Amino acid sequence: MRRVVISGGGRGIGAAAVELFSSMGDKVVFFYKNDDDAANALCHKTGAAAIKTDVSCAENGINALNKALELLGGLDIIVLNAGIAHIAQICDTSNGDWHNIINTNLSSVFYLAREASSLMVKKHFGRIITVGSIWGKCGASCEVAYSASKAGVRGLTMALAKELGPSGITVNCVEPGLIFTDMNKCLDDEALASICDEIPAGRMGEAHEVAELIAFLASDKASYINGQCIGVDGGWGV
Ligand code: NDP
């Protein structure tokens, strides 16, 4: 039975990953920030355990990881998925907005990957999967902080893959395009339709379609895939 930690697993893409790993018989612990109802319902449905924490704070996130390790008795796979979006022109993006986005989307990936990798190196095995974004590759208008955070996740993934590859650990990034989750509920039907016109697949993606790639990268089938940033975007990012 594999031991899996997923940050931001209460809703959306992370929740789809919790469901998928749990359905494969893995032991899963996930982190969430606010939504107790969603987290409790997911635990009930899957048998996974939830830890409430704010991963934008290093101390909180590391404490949560240590609790997860106690519950799991070790760690084989970590999915670094927690993230928030912020749509605003740069002149309307405060220092606080910037720090909140960078700390949630990028710094949490840094310190959770650091803590996880020190365990994985000892047993010469591990899978680290980060969740970036199409905007970390292309840059989005009016999403400077978000795009910068996800470009950072991209760079971190590639660098860490080179560092940890000799230790039997793979580090890969999934880069979703427009996925049907609460993150996009700020977009009205007209905005969504006009974005879908630009996507070769002609539609939004589903959370489970991203979770399938995460699960593949965590599997033995992906043992020779390392340092890759792979789009799940219906061809939008090409
Ligand atoms: P959702 O908003 O649906 O879910 C986000 C999850 O992350 C929630 O469980 C939330 O907890 C948790 N979370 C957010 N902030 C924190 C925090 N500080 N500490 C702990 N947990 C936190 O997002 P998505 O599923 O859409 O996004 C998942 C990832 O995919 C993100 O990194 C996002 O940037 C990326 N992505 C998403 C795209 C999309 O179109 N949806 C496109 C490209 C990338 P709670 O439930 O308690 O609020």
mmCIF file with all atom_site columns, all heavy atoms in Angstrom, residues 51-74:
data_model
loop_
_atom_site.group_PDB
_atom_site.id
_atom_site.type_symbol
_atom_site.label_atom_id
_atom_site.label_alt_id
_atom_site.label_comp_id
_atom_site.label_asym_id
_atom_site.label_entity_id
_atom_site.label_seq_id
_atom_site.pdbx_PDB_ins_code
_atom_site.Cartn_x
_atom_site.Cartn_y
_atom_site.Cartn_z
_atom_site.occupancy
_atom_site.B_iso_or_equiv
_atom_site.pdbx_formal_charge
_atom_site.auth_seq_id
_atom_site.auth_comp_id
_atom_site.auth_asym_id
_atom_site.auth_atom_id
_atom_site.pdbx_PDB_model_num
ATOM 1   N N   . ILE A 1 51 ? -6.051  16.920 7.118  1.00 0.00 ? 51 ILE A N   1
ATOM 2   C CA  . ILE A 1 51 ? -5.429  17.798 8.115  1.00 0.00 ? 51 ILE A CA  1
ATOM 3   C C   . ILE A 1 51 ? -5.681  19.238 7.674  1.00 0.00 ? 51 ILE A C   1
ATOM 4   O O   . ILE A 1 51 ? -5.363  19.615 6.544  1.00 0.00 ? 51 ILE A O   1
ATOM 5   C CB  . ILE A 1 51 ? -3.912  17.537 8.224  1.00 0.00 ? 51 ILE A CB  1
ATOM 6   C CG1 . ILE A 1 51 ? -3.666  16.105 8.725  1.00 0.00 ? 51 ILE A CG1 1
ATOM 7   C CG2 . ILE A 1 51 ? -3.255  18.553 9.142  1.00 0.00 ? 51 ILE A CG2 1
ATOM 8   C CD1 . ILE A 1 51 ? -2.204  15.687 8.746  1.00 0.00 ? 51 ILE A CD1 1
ATOM 9   N N   . LYS A 1 52 ? -6.251  20.017 8.598  1.00 0.00 ? 52 LYS A N   1
ATOM 10  C CA  . LYS A 1 52 ? -6.542  21.424 8.293  1.00 0.00 ? 52 LYS A CA  1
ATOM 11  C C   . LYS A 1 52 ? -5.310  22.268 8.599  1.00 0.00 ? 52 LYS A C   1
ATOM 12  O O   . LYS A 1 52 ? -4.820  22.253 9.735  1.00 0.00 ? 52 LYS A O   1
ATOM 13  C CB  . LYS A 1 52 ? -7.734  21.885 9.142  1.00 0.00 ? 52 LYS A CB  1
ATOM 14  C CG  . LYS A 1 52 ? -8.243  23.259 8.803  1.00 0.00 ? 52 LYS A CG  1
ATOM 15  C CD  . LYS A 1 52 ? -9.542  23.523 9.556  1.00 0.00 ? 52 LYS A CD  1
ATOM 16  C CE  . LYS A 1 52 ? -10.148 24.849 9.133  1.00 0.00 ? 52 LYS A CE  1
ATOM 17  N NZ  . LYS A 1 52 ? -11.481 25.042 9.713  1.00 0.00 ? 52 LYS A NZ  1
ATOM 18  N N   . THR A 1 53 ? -4.816  22.971 7.606  1.00 0.00 ? 53 THR A N   1
ATOM 19  C CA  . THR A 1 53 ? -3.613  23.784 7.802  1.00 0.00 ? 53 THR A CA  1
ATOM 20  C C   . THR A 1 53 ? -3.543  24.846 6.717  1.00 0.00 ? 53 THR A C   1
ATOM 21  O O   . THR A 1 53 ? -4.210  24.730 5.683  1.00 0.00 ? 53 THR A O   1
ATOM 22  C CB  . THR A 1 53 ? -2.340  22.912 7.740  1.00 0.00 ? 53 THR A CB  1
ATOM 23  O OG1 . THR A 1 53 ? -1.204  23.712 8.094  1.00 0.00 ? 53 THR A OG1 1
ATOM 24  C CG2 . THR A 1 53 ? -2.093  22.337 6.347  1.00 0.00 ? 53 THR A CG2 1
ATOM 25  N N   . ASP A 1 54 ? -2.751  25.858 6.953  1.00 0.00 ? 54 ASP A N   1
ATOM 26  C CA  . ASP A 1 54 ? -2.507  26.864 5.916  1.00 0.00 ? 54 ASP A CA  1
ATOM 27  C C   . ASP A 1 54 ? -1.076  26.693 5.431  1.00 0.00 ? 54 ASP A C   1
ATOM 28  O O   . ASP A 1 54 ? -0.126  27.077 6.111  1.00 0.00 ? 54 ASP A O   1
ATOM 29  C CB  . ASP A 1 54 ? -2.721  28.265 6.495  1.00 0.00 ? 54 ASP A CB  1
ATOM 30  C CG  . ASP A 1 54 ? -2.440  29.355 5.474  1.00 0.00 ? 54 ASP A CG  1
ATOM 31  O OD1 . ASP A 1 54 ? -1.995  29.033 4.346  1.00 0.00 ? 54 ASP A OD1 1
ATOM 32  O OD2 . ASP A 1 54 ? -2.662  30.535 5.802  1.00 0.00 ? 54 ASP A OD2 1
ATOM 33  N N   . VAL A 1 55 ? -0.920  26.106 4.254  1.00 0.00 ? 55 VAL A N   1
ATOM 34  C CA  . VAL A 1 55 ? 0.437   25.790 3.784  1.00 0.00 ? 55 VAL A CA  1
ATOM 35  C C   . VAL A 1 55 ? 1.219   27.025 3.343  1.00 0.00 ? 55 VAL A C   1
ATOM 36  O O   . VAL A 1 55 ? 2.421   26.922 3.067  1.00 0.00 ? 55 VAL A O   1
ATOM 37  C CB  . VAL A 1 55 ? 0.436   24.736 2.640  1.00 0.00 ? 55 VAL A CB  1
ATOM 38  C CG1 . VAL A 1 55 ? -0.119  23.401 3.093  1.00 0.00 ? 55 VAL A CG1 1
ATOM 39  C CG2 . VAL A 1 55 ? -0.273  25.264 1.400  1.00 0.00 ? 55 VAL A CG2 1
ATOM 40  N N   . SER A 1 56 ? 0.573   28.185 3.309  1.00 0.00 ? 56 SER A N   1
ATOM 41  C CA  . SER A 1 56 ? 1.342   29.389 2.967  1.00 0.00 ? 56 SER A CA  1
ATOM 42  C C   . SER A 1 56 ? 2.313   29.753 4.089  1.00 0.00 ? 56 SER A C   1
ATOM 43  O O   . SER A 1 56 ? 3.246   30.529 3.884  1.00 0.00 ? 56 SER A O   1
ATOM 44  C CB  . SER A 1 56 ? 0.410   30.567 2.662  1.00 0.00 ? 56 SER A CB  1
ATOM 45  O OG  . SER A 1 56 ? -0.226  31.019 3.831  1.00 0.00 ? 56 SER A OG  1
ATOM 46  N N   . CYS A 1 57 ? 2.087   29.187 5.277  1.00 0.00 ? 57 CYS A N   1
ATOM 47  C CA  . CYS A 1 57 ? 2.986   29.386 6.419  1.00 0.00 ? 57 CYS A CA  1
ATOM 48  C C   . CYS A 1 57 ? 3.848   28.122 6.566  1.00 0.00 ? 57 CYS A C   1
ATOM 49  O O   . CYS A 1 57 ? 3.311   27.034 6.780  1.00 0.00 ? 57 CYS A O   1
ATOM 50  C CB  . CYS A 1 57 ? 2.161   29.628 7.679  1.00 0.00 ? 57 CYS A CB  1
ATOM 51  S SG  . CYS A 1 57 ? 3.091   29.400 9.194  1.00 0.00 ? 57 CYS A SG  1
ATOM 52  N N   . ALA A 1 58 ? 5.160   28.286 6.464  1.00 0.00 ? 58 ALA A N   1
ATOM 53  C CA  . ALA A 1 58 ? 6.059   27.120 6.463  1.00 0.00 ? 58 ALA A CA  1
ATOM 54  C C   . ALA A 1 58 ? 5.904   26.284 7.729  1.00 0.00 ? 58 ALA A C   1
ATOM 55  O O   . ALA A 1 58 ? 5.827   25.055 7.660  1.00 0.00 ? 58 ALA A O   1
ATOM 56  C CB  . ALA A 1 58 ? 7.505   27.576 6.291  1.00 0.00 ? 58 ALA A CB  1
ATOM 57  N N   . GLU A 1 59 ? 5.819   26.955 8.864  1.00 0.00 ? 59 GLU A N   1
ATOM 58  C CA  . GLU A 1 59 ? 5.741   26.207 10.123 1.00 0.00 ? 59 GLU A CA  1
ATOM 59  C C   . GLU A 1 59 ? 4.483   25.332 10.159 1.00 0.00 ? 59 GLU A C   1
ATOM 60  O O   . GLU A 1 59 ? 4.536   24.151 10.524 1.00 0.00 ? 59 GLU A O   1
ATOM 61  C CB  . GLU A 1 59 ? 5.739   27.203 11.288 1.00 0.00 ? 59 GLU A CB  1
ATOM 62  C CG  . GLU A 1 59 ? 6.036   26.553 12.603 1.00 0.00 ? 59 GLU A CG  1
ATOM 63  C CD  . GLU A 1 59 ? 5.932   27.546 13.751 1.00 0.00 ? 59 GLU A CD  1
ATOM 64  O OE1 . GLU A 1 59 ? 5.907   28.773 13.516 1.00 0.00 ? 59 GLU A OE1 1
ATOM 65  O OE2 . GLU A 1 59 ? 5.850   27.069 14.894 1.00 0.00 ? 59 GLU A OE2 1
ATOM 66  N N   . ASN A 1 60 ? 3.349   25.921 9.764  1.00 0.00 ? 60 ASN A N   1
ATOM 67  C CA  . ASN A 1 60 ? 2.087   25.147 9.749  1.00 0.00 ? 60 ASN A CA  1
ATOM 68  C C   . ASN A 1 60 ? 2.180   23.958 8.804  1.00 0.00 ? 60 ASN A C   1
ATOM 69  O O   . ASN A 1 60 ? 1.764   22.845 9.116  1.00 0.00 ? 60 ASN A O   1
ATOM 70  C CB  . ASN A 1 60 ? 0.914   26.022 9.275  1.00 0.00 ? 60 ASN A CB  1
ATOM 71  C CG  . ASN A 1 60 ? 0.550   27.084 10.274 1.00 0.00 ? 60 ASN A CG  1
ATOM 72  O OD1 . ASN A 1 60 ? 1.002   27.038 11.410 1.00 0.00 ? 60 ASN A OD1 1
ATOM 73  N ND2 . ASN A 1 60 ? -0.247  28.046 9.848  1.00 0.00 ? 60 ASN A ND2 1
ATOM 74  N N   . GLY A 1 61 ? 2.698   24.219 7.614  1.00 0.00 ? 61 GLY A N   1
ATOM 75  C CA  . GLY A 1 61 ? 2.759   23.171 6.602  1.00 0.00 ? 61 GLY A CA  1
ATOM 76  C C   . GLY A 1 61 ? 3.674   22.026 7.025  1.00 0.00 ? 61 GLY A C   1
ATOM 77  O O   . GLY A 1 61 ? 3.342   20.845 6.831  1.00 0.00 ? 61 GLY A O   1
ATOM 78  N N   . ILE A 1 62 ? 4.811   22.372 7.626  1.00 0.00 ? 62 ILE A N   1
ATOM 79  C CA  . ILE A 1 62 ? 5.755   21.321 8.055  1.00 0.00 ? 62 ILE A CA  1
ATOM 80  C C   . ILE A 1 62 ? 5.155   20.518 9.211  1.00 0.00 ? 62 ILE A C   1
ATOM 81  O O   . ILE A 1 62 ? 5.273   19.289 9.256  1.00 0.00 ? 62 ILE A O   1
ATOM 82  C CB  . ILE A 1 62 ? 7.127   21.943 8.412  1.00 0.00 ? 62 ILE A CB  1
ATOM 83  C CG1 . ILE A 1 62 ? 7.791   22.454 7.133  1.00 0.00 ? 62 ILE A CG1 1
ATOM 84  C CG2 . ILE A 1 62 ? 8.023   20.920 9.102  1.00 0.00 ? 62 ILE A CG2 1
ATOM 85  C CD1 . ILE A 1 62 ? 9.014   23.325 7.354  1.00 0.00 ? 62 ILE A CD1 1
ATOM 86  N N   . ASN A 1 63 ? 4.467   21.209 10.122 1.00 0.00 ? 63 ASN A N   1
ATOM 87  C CA  . ASN A 1 63 ? 3.786   20.472 11.207 1.00 0.00 ? 63 ASN A CA  1
ATOM 88  C C   . ASN A 1 63 ? 2.753   19.514 10.642 1.00 0.00 ? 63 ASN A C   1
ATOM 89  O O   . ASN A 1 63 ? 2.615   18.377 11.099 1.00 0.00 ? 63 ASN A O   1
ATOM 90  C CB  . ASN A 1 63 ? 3.083   21.444 12.168 1.00 0.00 ? 63 ASN A CB  1
ATOM 91  C CG  . ASN A 1 63 ? 4.078   22.154 13.064 1.00 0.00 ? 63 ASN A CG  1
ATOM 92  O OD1 . ASN A 1 63 ? 5.204   21.686 13.214 1.00 0.00 ? 63 ASN A OD1 1
ATOM 93  N ND2 . ASN A 1 63 ? 3.693   23.278 13.639 1.00 0.00 ? 63 ASN A ND2 1
ATOM 94  N N   . ALA A 1 64 ? 2.005   19.982 9.647  1.00 0.00 ? 64 ALA A N   1
ATOM 95  C CA  . ALA A 1 64 ? 0.976   19.125 9.040  1.00 0.00 ? 64 ALA A CA  1
ATOM 96  C C   . ALA A 1 64 ? 1.627   17.924 8.363  1.00 0.00 ? 64 ALA A C   1
ATOM 97  O O   . ALA A 1 64 ? 1.127   16.794 8.458  1.00 0.00 ? 64 ALA A O   1
ATOM 98  C CB  . ALA A 1 64 ? 0.159   19.926 8.027  1.00 0.00 ? 64 ALA A CB  1
ATOM 99  N N   . LEU A 1 65 ? 2.752   18.152 7.699  1.00 0.00 ? 65 LEU A N   1
ATOM 100 C CA  . LEU A 1 65 ? 3.434   17.033 7.033  1.00 0.00 ? 65 LEU A CA  1
ATOM 101 C C   . LEU A 1 65 ? 3.907   16.016 8.076  1.00 0.00 ? 65 LEU A C   1
ATOM 102 O O   . LEU A 1 65 ? 3.766   14.799 7.880  1.00 0.00 ? 65 LEU A O   1
ATOM 103 C CB  . LEU A 1 65 ? 4.608   17.548 6.193  1.00 0.00 ? 65 LEU A CB  1
ATOM 104 C CG  . LEU A 1 65 ? 5.361   16.463 5.412  1.00 0.00 ? 65 LEU A CG  1
ATOM 105 C CD1 . LEU A 1 65 ? 4.444   15.713 4.441  1.00 0.00 ? 65 LEU A CD1 1
ATOM 106 C CD2 . LEU A 1 65 ? 6.550   17.044 4.658  1.00 0.00 ? 65 LEU A CD2 1
ATOM 107 N N   . ASN A 1 66 ? 4.433   16.512 9.188  1.00 0.00 ? 66 ASN A N   1
ATOM 108 C CA  . ASN A 1 66 ? 4.885   15.577 10.233 1.00 0.00 ? 66 ASN A CA  1
ATOM 109 C C   . ASN A 1 66 ? 3.733   14.757 10.785 1.00 0.00 ? 66 ASN A C   1
ATOM 110 O O   . ASN A 1 66 ? 3.864   13.554 11.029 1.00 0.00 ? 66 ASN A O   1
ATOM 111 C CB  . ASN A 1 66 ? 5.610   16.341 11.343 1.00 0.00 ? 66 ASN A CB  1
ATOM 112 C CG  . ASN A 1 66 ? 6.987   16.800 10.882 1.00 0.00 ? 66 ASN A CG  1
ATOM 113 O OD1 . ASN A 1 66 ? 7.581   16.162 9.995  1.00 0.00 ? 66 ASN A OD1 1
ATOM 114 N ND2 . ASN A 1 66 ? 7.479   17.887 11.424 1.00 0.00 ? 66 ASN A ND2 1
ATOM 115 N N   . LYS A 1 67 ? 2.557   15.422 10.946 1.00 0.00 ? 67 LYS A N   1
ATOM 116 C CA  . LYS A 1 67 ? 1.372   14.666 11.414 1.00 0.00 ? 67 LYS A CA  1
ATOM 117 C C   . LYS A 1 67 ? 0.972   13.621 10.379 1.00 0.00 ? 67 LYS A C   1
ATOM 118 O O   . LYS A 1 67 ? 0.616   12.489 10.722 1.00 0.00 ? 67 LYS A O   1
ATOM 119 C CB  . LYS A 1 67 ? 0.190   15.628 11.615 1.00 0.00 ? 67 LYS A CB  1
ATOM 120 C CG  . LYS A 1 67 ? 0.161   16.278 12.965 1.00 0.00 ? 67 LYS A CG  1
ATOM 121 C CD  . LYS A 1 67 ? -1.159  17.046 13.146 1.00 0.00 ? 67 LYS A CD  1
ATOM 122 C CE  . LYS A 1 67 ? -0.909  18.324 13.921 1.00 0.00 ? 67 LYS A CE  1
ATOM 123 N NZ  . LYS A 1 67 ? -1.855  19.397 13.676 1.00 0.00 ? 67 LYS A NZ  1
ATOM 124 N N   . ALA A 1 68 ? 1.035   14.002 9.129  1.00 0.00 ? 68 ALA A N   1
ATOM 125 C CA  . ALA A 1 68 ? 0.667   13.064 8.058  1.00 0.00 ? 68 ALA A CA  1
ATOM 126 C C   . ALA A 1 68 ? 1.602   11.857 8.064  1.00 0.00 ? 68 ALA A C   1
ATOM 127 O O   . ALA A 1 68 ? 1.170   10.710 7.899  1.00 0.00 ? 68 ALA A O   1
ATOM 128 C CB  . ALA A 1 68 ? 0.723   13.772 6.698  1.00 0.00 ? 68 ALA A CB  1
ATOM 129 N N   . LEU A 1 69 ? 2.903   12.119 8.287  1.00 0.00 ? 69 LEU A N   1
ATOM 130 C CA  . LEU A 1 69 ? 3.873   11.018 8.298  1.00 0.00 ? 69 LEU A CA  1
ATOM 131 C C   . LEU A 1 69 ? 3.594   10.054 9.446  1.00 0.00 ? 69 LEU A C   1
ATOM 132 O O   . LEU A 1 69 ? 3.740   8.841  9.297  1.00 0.00 ? 69 LEU A O   1
ATOM 133 C CB  . LEU A 1 69 ? 5.293   11.576 8.405  1.00 0.00 ? 69 LEU A CB  1
ATOM 134 C CG  . LEU A 1 69 ? 5.740   12.435 7.219  1.00 0.00 ? 69 LEU A CG  1
ATOM 135 C CD1 . LEU A 1 69 ? 7.121   13.024 7.464  1.00 0.00 ? 69 LEU A CD1 1
ATOM 136 C CD2 . LEU A 1 69 ? 5.735   11.627 5.935  1.00 0.00 ? 69 LEU A CD2 1
ATOM 137 N N   . GLU A 1 70 ? 3.162   10.614 10.580 1.00 0.00 ? 70 GLU A N   1
ATOM 138 C CA  . GLU A 1 70 ? 2.784   9.735  11.706 1.00 0.00 ? 70 GLU A CA  1
ATOM 139 C C   . GLU A 1 70 ? 1.597   8.868  11.333 1.00 0.00 ? 70 GLU A C   1
ATOM 140 O O   . GLU A 1 70 ? 1.567   7.665  11.615 1.00 0.00 ? 70 GLU A O   1
ATOM 141 C CB  . GLU A 1 70 ? 2.403   10.582 12.923 1.00 0.00 ? 70 GLU A CB  1
ATOM 142 C CG  . GLU A 1 70 ? 3.584   11.036 13.752 1.00 0.00 ? 70 GLU A CG  1
ATOM 143 C CD  . GLU A 1 70 ? 3.133   11.987 14.852 1.00 0.00 ? 70 GLU A CD  1
ATOM 144 O OE1 . GLU A 1 70 ? 2.012   11.820 15.369 1.00 0.00 ? 70 GLU A OE1 1
ATOM 145 O OE2 . GLU A 1 70 ? 3.915   12.897 15.168 1.00 0.00 ? 70 GLU A OE2 1
ATOM 146 N N   . LEU A 1 71 ? 0.591   9.486  10.696 1.00 0.00 ? 71 LEU A N   1
ATOM 147 C CA  . LEU A 1 71 ? -0.616  8.731  10.319 1.00 0.00 ? 71 LEU A CA  1
ATOM 148 C C   . LEU A 1 71 ? -0.300  7.651  9.286  1.00 0.00 ? 71 LEU A C   1
ATOM 149 O O   . LEU A 1 71 ? -0.863  6.557  9.317  1.00 0.00 ? 71 LEU A O   1
ATOM 150 C CB  . LEU A 1 71 ? -1.670  9.676  9.729  1.00 0.00 ? 71 LEU A CB  1
ATOM 151 C CG  . LEU A 1 71 ? -2.353  10.640 10.707 1.00 0.00 ? 71 LEU A CG  1
ATOM 152 C CD1 . LEU A 1 71 ? -3.191  11.671 9.947  1.00 0.00 ? 71 LEU A CD1 1
ATOM 153 C CD2 . LEU A 1 71 ? -3.266  9.844  11.641 1.00 0.00 ? 71 LEU A CD2 1
ATOM 154 N N   . LEU A 1 72 ? 0.613   7.983  8.369  1.00 0.00 ? 72 LEU A N   1
ATOM 155 C CA  . LEU A 1 72 ? 0.894   7.072  7.250  1.00 0.00 ? 72 LEU A CA  1
ATOM 156 C C   . LEU A 1 72 ? 1.992   6.065  7.576  1.00 0.00 ? 72 LEU A C   1
ATOM 157 O O   . LEU A 1 72 ? 2.093   5.022  6.926  1.00 0.00 ? 72 LEU A O   1
ATOM 158 C CB  . LEU A 1 72 ? 1.323   7.876  6.011  1.00 0.00 ? 72 LEU A CB  1
ATOM 159 C CG  . LEU A 1 72 ? 0.272   8.785  5.375  1.00 0.00 ? 72 LEU A CG  1
ATOM 160 C CD1 . LEU A 1 72 ? 0.918   9.698  4.332  1.00 0.00 ? 72 LEU A CD1 1
ATOM 161 C CD2 . LEU A 1 72 ? -0.836  7.961  4.729  1.00 0.00 ? 72 LEU A CD2 1
ATOM 162 N N   . GLY A 1 73 ? 2.861   6.433  8.519  1.00 0.00 ? 73 GLY A N   1
ATOM 163 C CA  . GLY A 1 73 ? 4.015   5.577  8.804  1.00 0.00 ? 73 GLY A CA  1
ATOM 164 C C   . GLY A 1 73 ? 5.086   5.669  7.735  1.00 0.00 ? 73 GLY A C   1
ATOM 165 O O   . GLY A 1 73 ? 5.897   4.748  7.569  1.00 0.00 ? 73 GLY A O   1
ATOM 166 N N   . GLY A 1 74 ? 5.142   6.785  7.009  1.00 0.00 ? 74 GLY A N   1
ATOM 167 C CA  . GLY A 1 74 ? 6.154   6.989  5.971  1.00 0.00 ? 74 GLY A CA  1
ATOM 168 C C   . GLY A 1 74 ? 5.555   7.749  4.803  1.00 0.00 ? 74 GLY A C   1
ATOM 169 O O   . GLY A 1 74 ? 4.422   8.239  4.890  1.00 0.00 ? 74 GLY A O   1
#
